[in-house]
Amino acid sequence: MAIIVNEKTIFVIQGITGKQGRIHASHSLEYGCKLVGGVTPGKGGETVGNLPVFNTVQEAIDSCGPIDASMVLVPPFGVKESVLEAIDCGIETIIPITEHVPVKDTMIIREHAMANQCRIIGPNTIGVISPGLSKIGIMPGFLYSQGRVGIVSRSGTLTHEVASCLSRKGVGQSTCVGIGGDPIPGSSFTDILELFKDDSETCCVILVGEIGGAGEEMAAEYLKSVNYSKPVVAFIAGSTAPEKKKMGHAGAIVSGNAGTASSKRNALESAGVKVAKGLEELLNITADIVANEVK
């Protein structure tokens, strides 16, 4: 069944005429996605490949019909206006890929999205892929394979690594979601775990966290509160990062004893999550879960 994105998902790219927009429009079409056009103010009437370009999201809807999602590939200070426009046009899922979006802009986006029942994935994300069905994101599709393991991660690189290594073991994925590495994500670990809980084609979930923030601890509280029925396996990156230093992402900053690898590990283990010490252990635990489920 997959979550968020499937073979029926129709989407546009906001910022399609930029370098990254053109590249990922081409990659989306190569993957078989239902990308129907793009939006760049002032460039309506142009084309990118065979895709039409519109001045506004509403023009795209008027021309192409109902649109389920948007991938946003615009510069950081243009993300807020682009996302708010898509929300106001009734787009249900918006995935701003852009990094370095001002935190205050993300807060405004989140508030407006919640008020309009819109799902935001990102910013600073690789996006979402349901292997073999569709993707709205910048991940190399060939690294992923179709199967029954869900992945939710703050790190795009680690998502690629985990999925590709699982695929080499013959273990496919149902959907892989990069929630992004910023301090305030549009969707949290808890939000995505909730979606996986109700997905009949996901048999277990991998949670890839990192130091900084409280998202992993909040996910642990959620897992305990609902008595989560599916196995969850986790890995927390950054256990060897220098104290009080950020690691890679803007959200990977540890303050005092909060947000440390050990605090996250302890919280998740208290919720019944198997927390791997390294990626190899993570892969082996997951492969065993899938193998036992098949039996």
Side-chain angles (χ1 to χ4, degrees):
M1 182 165 56
I3 65 169
I4 304 175
V5 171
N6 60 40
E7 72 278 12
K8 297 179 181 179
T9 303
I10 297 171
F11 70 100
V12 293
I13 294 177
Q14 292 175 262
I16 194 169
T17 56
K19 179 180 179 181
Q20 295 301 315
R22 291 176 183 274
I23 289 171
H24 293 295
S26 175
H27 291 173
S28 296
L29 294 175
E30 289 172 2
Y31 201 72
C33 305
K34 291 192 173 181
L35 172 63
V36 296
V39 176
T40 300
K43 296 194 176 182
E46 297 184 9
T47 58
V48 171
N50 293 322
L51 295 171
V53 179
F54 303 94
N55 288 312
T56 67
V57 174
Q58 189 59 56
E59 286 181 11
I61 294 171
D62 292 342
S63 177
C64 302
I67 292 171
D68 304 306
S70 173
M71 176 161 63
V72 180
L73 286 166
V74 304
F77 288 97
V79 169
K80 182 182 73 173
E81 294 305 320
S82 295
V83 174
L84 294 182
E85 177 190 1
I87 294 172
D88 289 341
C89 288
I91 305 295
E92 294 181 352
T93 299
I94 304 169
I95 303 178
I97 304 296
T98 312
E99 60 180 331
H100 305 305
V101 176
V103 173
K104 64 178 182 180
D105 288 359
T106 305
M107 294 172 68
I108 293 169
I109 287 169
R110 273 194 54 169
E111 182 178 4
H112 198 56
M114 291 174 65
N116 289 273
Q117 297 182 318
C118 170
R119 177 179 294 113
I120 306 293
I121 305 293
N124 190 12
T125 176
I126 59 167
V128 181
I129 182 170
S130 296
L133 302 179
S134 187
K135 67 170 187 151
I136 303 180
I138 60 173
M139 65 288 289
F142 67 89
L143 295 179
Y144 298 75
S145 61
Q146 194 167 9
R148 293 178 55 78
V149 176
I151 300 176
V152 54
S153 172
R154 285 169 65 178
S155 167
T157 302
L158 285 176
T159 308
H160 299 333
E161 182 75 10
V162 171
S164 62
C165 289
L166 283 175
S167 296
R168 286 198 292 271
K169 283 179 171 287
V171 178
Q173 306 89 50
S174 54
T175 302
C176 303
V177 183
I179 62 171
D182 281 2
I184 301 177
S187 293
S188 66
F189 281 121
T190 300
D191 295 328
I192 307 306
L193 286 169
E194 176 71 20
L195 294 177
F196 278 130
K197 178 173 71 69
D198 298 324
D199 180 26
S200 62
E201 295 188 6
T202 297
C203 71
C204 69
V205 181
I206 292 175
L207 185 156
V208 181
E210 62 184 28
I211 59 171
E216 294 84 352
E217 288 92 340
M218 293 173 67
E221 290 302 313
Y222 162 76
L223 292 171
K224 286 191 285 188
S225 70
V226 298
N227 192 22
Y228 207 71
S229 59
K230 297 178 180 180
V232 178
V233 189
F235 171 70
I236 306 299
S239 59
T240 60
E243 187 177 354
K244 297 182 180 179
K245 297 290 185 180
K246 84 175 184 182
M247 185 202 69
H249 291 145
I253 301 176
V254 177
S255 299
N257 293 323
T260 65
S262 60
S263 69
K264 294 173 184 294
R265 182 166 54 249
N266 292 339
L268 288 165
E269 287 177 343
S270 73
V273 176
K274 295 182 178 179
V275 182
K277 294 181 176 65
L279 287 180
E280 184 174 359
E281 183 181 6
L282 177 75
L283 299 169
N284 290 337
I285 293 172
T286 305
D288 287 344
I289 291 171
V290 173
N292 289 331
E293 193 240 358
V294 172
K295 293 177 182 178

